[in-house]
Amino acid sequence: MLRHEADVIVIGAGLSGLVAACEAAEQGRSVLVVDGEGPQSLGGQAFWSFGGLLLVDSPEQRRLGIRDSPELAHADWLGAAQFEDGPNDAQARQWARAYLEFASGELREWLRRLAVGLFPVVGWAERGGQPAGGHGNSVPRFHIVWGTGPALLHPFVARALASPLITFAHRHLVRDLSVTGEITVSGDLLAPDDAERGRPTNRDVVGSFTARGESVIIASGGIGGNLDLVREFWPGRAPEKLIKGVPDYVDGSMLPIAEAAGGALVNRNRMWHYPEGVINHSPLWTDHGIRILPGPSSLWLDANGVRLPPPNFPGFDALGALRAITEQGHDHSWFVTDAATVAKEFALSGSEQNSDLTGKDLRMFGRRTGGRPTAEVRRFVREGVDFLTAGTVGDLAAQMNALEPGHTVDGDALLELIRERDLQIRAGLGKDPQVVALRAARNYLGDRLMRIASPHPMLAGNGPRRGAGGPLVAVRLHPLTRKTLGGLQTDLEGRVLAPDGTPLPGVFAAGEAAGFGGGGAHGHRALEGTFLGGCLLSGRIAGRSAAALG
């Protein structure tokens, strides 16, 4: 048996775990970081992220004329969260306010000190389309790290690898946590595996380990890679067909171990999955999917070609649209649009799907502002099984039905739907809620420059043929797993609480394992940009609190 000792044991080498380890080491504490994957996976899911952070009243917002405030952000958060009375959301409410104080205060300066830059154009994610008091961001708040997820990880990876106080124990799979007296973490030693980052690794056991310390920080992530668990806790009917936005190792295996040790695991049926997933043409992990980050112009249809009801427009309410689709018993939906809109409005989530931003290549990035698709979008249109193009509506409907023979999209009805939409566009103003919303969104300079195509008809005249926007495009969309909104309940010091509300001695949690703080800081819905930000805040707090025990 391999034996380890350290002041602080961190379970999980993702962003929140790395932040926690760095914070504890800065306080002079020895840290052991235990992770089931190899060193090539250091940074976990954050490596694959687009690098979005929700900040409030930032210099980037003010330069673009965005009038944000902590009060407005708090109102938006509460409208999205819809917290419930009772003990399960008691800590979550406090973490929500703590994150907004962080996002409107020291987060921006902390990033600057870490040499983490932000792209100057702020994105408008989760627009909501709801009345005041409902879900959605009232103003753009999605700040993209220049260099995406890898650039956000870099300072913490570099600090952790350089620190003489931090030791990494890779290929250590935790099976047990004992909190009686001294903290003891034990489990299996896995055989080495040099598989490419993201690809499944072996689970061949070659030995065992035990680690002892004064405290432990659980930063093991969520359940998005475990489709059985996702379906088990899915509220209502779970889709039969799911694709995954996270690697296989994001399996939730640490959560029941923490629960067995005495931790309160709350809000497990709150998850953040996306309706706009497409099958990856070059998969790394099992059932690998990629999310389309859409502008608001595409028509969104259910599996039978019926338009989703307002405000289920692209980019407005991810969870609302997902529910509208799955509650009908459907496992897929469709975007219908044209090539010009795809070029301007389709982005793909993930660092590897945005080589211009990840590589900090301004020349390559210029394609976006010129209304040309990125290389990654072009490849999906060319090679993605979910992407269809046609010169006429009838041909497009025929291809849609061939791809999904269990459902029938009526070509005549689709033609009439597009004609009605085009008539609203030609009116210049229009009454259609989606047309009104996209015209309003173009009032924001950032959207007009980068994200929203100039409104134009899809068809040539009143006929069935493609218009000046190029070939007609249909994209089959699948539910895509991503984030766990519930988790281990923690107080504002990051301490894991028992079901009776008392802290477990020496046990802390951070990141997705803690529901990004408090066991569910987002409530029922998220505003986006708060997942990476939640890892930063909760990891920092847990690391400092664990270090203070000594």
Side-chain angles (χ1 to χ4, degrees):
M1 175 180 286
L2 186 60
R3 302 181 186 277
H4 303 279
E5 289 190 6
D7 297 328
V8 179
I9 302 168
V10 177
I11 302 174
L15 177 59
S16 61
L18 290 173
V19 173
C22 290
E23 291 292 333
E26 284 189 3
Q27 304 303 314
R29 311 294 281 165
S30 63
V31 181
L32 176 71
V33 181
V34 176
D35 194 89
E37 297 303 303
Q40 70 272 30
S41 294
L42 196 60
Q45 295 179 66
F47 176 87
W48 302 104
S49 74
F50 195 40
L53 294 168
L54 185 146
L55 279 78
V56 178
D57 193 24
S58 68
E60 289 76 18
Q61 287 176 299
R62 292 193 292 271
R63 280 195 290 269
L64 290 165
I66 299 168
R67 289 176 287 186
D68 200 5
S69 69
E71 294 77 17
L72 181 61
H74 189 242
D76 285 350
W77 192 298
L78 292 181
Q82 296 296 308
F83 288 123
E84 299 173 12
D85 294 332
N88 283 0
D89 279 341
Q91 297 295 330
R93 290 176 183 271
Q94 297 183 52
W95 274 92
R97 186 171 286 279
Y99 180 82
L100 290 172
E101 291 175 356
F102 182 56
S104 59
E106 60 181 313
L107 173 56
R108 179 68 173 72
E109 176 57 24
W110 188 39
L111 293 174
R112 189 194 65 80
R113 293 199 304 270
L114 292 170
V116 174
L118 298 176
F119 187 70
V121 179
V122 182
W124 198 345
E126 287 296 294
R127 301 165 192 262
Q130 306 276 359
H135 172 66
N137 284 295
S138 298
V139 296
R141 297 190 176 105
F142 193 75
H143 296 67
I144 300 169
V145 171
W146 185 231
T148 67
L152 181 61
L153 275 171
H154 175 73
F156 303 105
V157 171
R159 289 163 64 194
L161 291 177
S163 173
L165 293 174
I166 298 176
T167 301
F168 286 93
H170 294 291
R171 304 295 287 161
H172 284 50
L173 187 62
V174 176
R175 298 294 190 188
D176 186 67
L177 170 63
S178 174
V179 299
T180 55
E182 192 175 31
I183 297 292
T184 304
V185 175
S186 58
D188 297 330
L189 291 176
L190 302 180
D193 195 320
D194 60 359
E196 180 184 2
R197 180 194 285 267
R199 293 196 182 279
T201 55
N202 74 68
R203 287 298 181 262
D204 300 335
V205 177
V206 296
S208 60
F209 78 91
T210 184
R212 301 183 186 278
E214 296 175 4
S215 61
V216 61
I217 301 171
I218 301 167
S220 53
I223 69 171
N226 186 333
L227 297 187
D228 290 337
L229 272 184
V230 169
R231 290 190 178 100
E232 179 181 348
F233 292 104
W234 192 285
R237 187 200 76 91
E240 293 182 13
K241 172 66 176 178
L242 289 167
I243 58 178
K244 299 191 307 193
V246 295
D248 294 34
Y249 61 76
V250 187
D251 61 5
S253 59
M254 188 62 212
L255 295 176
I257 296 172
E259 187 177 34
L265 196 53
V266 298
N267 302 318
R268 298 202 71 179
N269 65 340
R270 299 182 190 175
M271 296 177 282
W272 188 251
H273 306 310
Y274 294 108
E276 314 102 331
V278 291
I279 296 170
N280 195 341
H281 52 71
S282 303
L284 290 173
W285 52 82
T286 309
D287 299 316
H288 190 170
I290 298 294
R291 184 195 177 201
I292 294 176
L293 302 173
S297 298
S298 299
L299 289 171
W300 203 340
L301 315 180
D302 70 15
N304 294 319
V306 178
R307 193 176 182 187
L308 297 187
N312 297 311
F313 313 135
F316 274 67
D317 182 354
L319 194 57
L322 182 60
R323 287 175 177 167
I325 295 160
T326 58
E327 286 176 358
Q328 297 180 60
H330 298 155
D331 290 350
H332 74 278
S333 61
W334 296 96
F335 281 160
V336 172
T337 186
D338 62 20
T341 301
V342 170
K344 184 77 171 182
E345 297 195 3
F346 277 27
L348 300 168
S349 182
S351 57
E352 83 286 9
Q353 299 296 332
N354 293 275
S355 55
D356 52 355
L357 289 166
T358 302
K360 302 181 181 180
D361 190 326
L362 286 172
R363 182 177 178 182
M364 187 186 300
F365 181 81
R367 295 185 63 90
R368 299 190 192 226
T369 56
R372 292 175 290 173
T374 65
E376 292 83 5
V377 169
R378 291 200 310 274
R379 186 175 179 192
F380 263 92
V381 173
R382 185 174 65 249
E383 300 180 23
V385 66
D386 297 306
F387 286 74
L388 307 172
T389 60
T392 68
V393 176
D395 185 19
L396 191 68
Q399 292 187 53
M400 294 163 74
N401 293 331
L403 190 60
E404 283 289 345
H407 297 269
T408 300
V409 175
D410 184 274
D412 291 337
L414 180 58
L415 175 59
E416 184 59 28
L417 179 60
I418 298 174
R419 281 173 172 167
E420 290 175 350
R421 178 259 183 203
D422 284 359
L423 189 62
Q424 290 286 299
I425 292 291
R426 290 190 181 99
L429 294 173
K431 66 180 179 181
D432 182 276
Q434 184 176 2
V435 173
V436 172
L438 74 89
R439 290 192 187 280
R442 280 180 58 84
N443 289 328
Y444 169 50
L445 177 62
D447 278 345
R448 195 163 64 250
L449 288 175
M450 293 179 51
R451 289 293 287 143
I452 302 181
S454 178
H456 61 275
M458 291 188 204
L459 303 176
N462 205 35
R465 295 190 174 278
R466 54 174 259 191
L472 301 172
V473 180
V475 186
R476 181 179 58 176
L477 307 170
H478 310 268
L480 175 79
T481 66
R482 188 62 66 84
K483 297 297 181 186
T484 307
L485 297 187
L488 293 166
Q489 193 168 43
T490 56
D491 64 13
L492 280 179
E493 294 180 40
R495 299 180 297 182
V496 173
L497 304 181
D500 64 2
T502 60
L504 284 183
V507 183
F508 302 81
E512 198 171 349
F516 302 94
H522 299 92
H524 288 274
R525 275 182 167 92
L527 294 176
E528 292 288 8
T530 54
F531 302 132
L532 292 176
C535 286
L536 294 174
L537 177 63
S538 62
R540 190 169 78 155
I541 288 174
R544 291 178 177 179
S545 297
L549 286 184

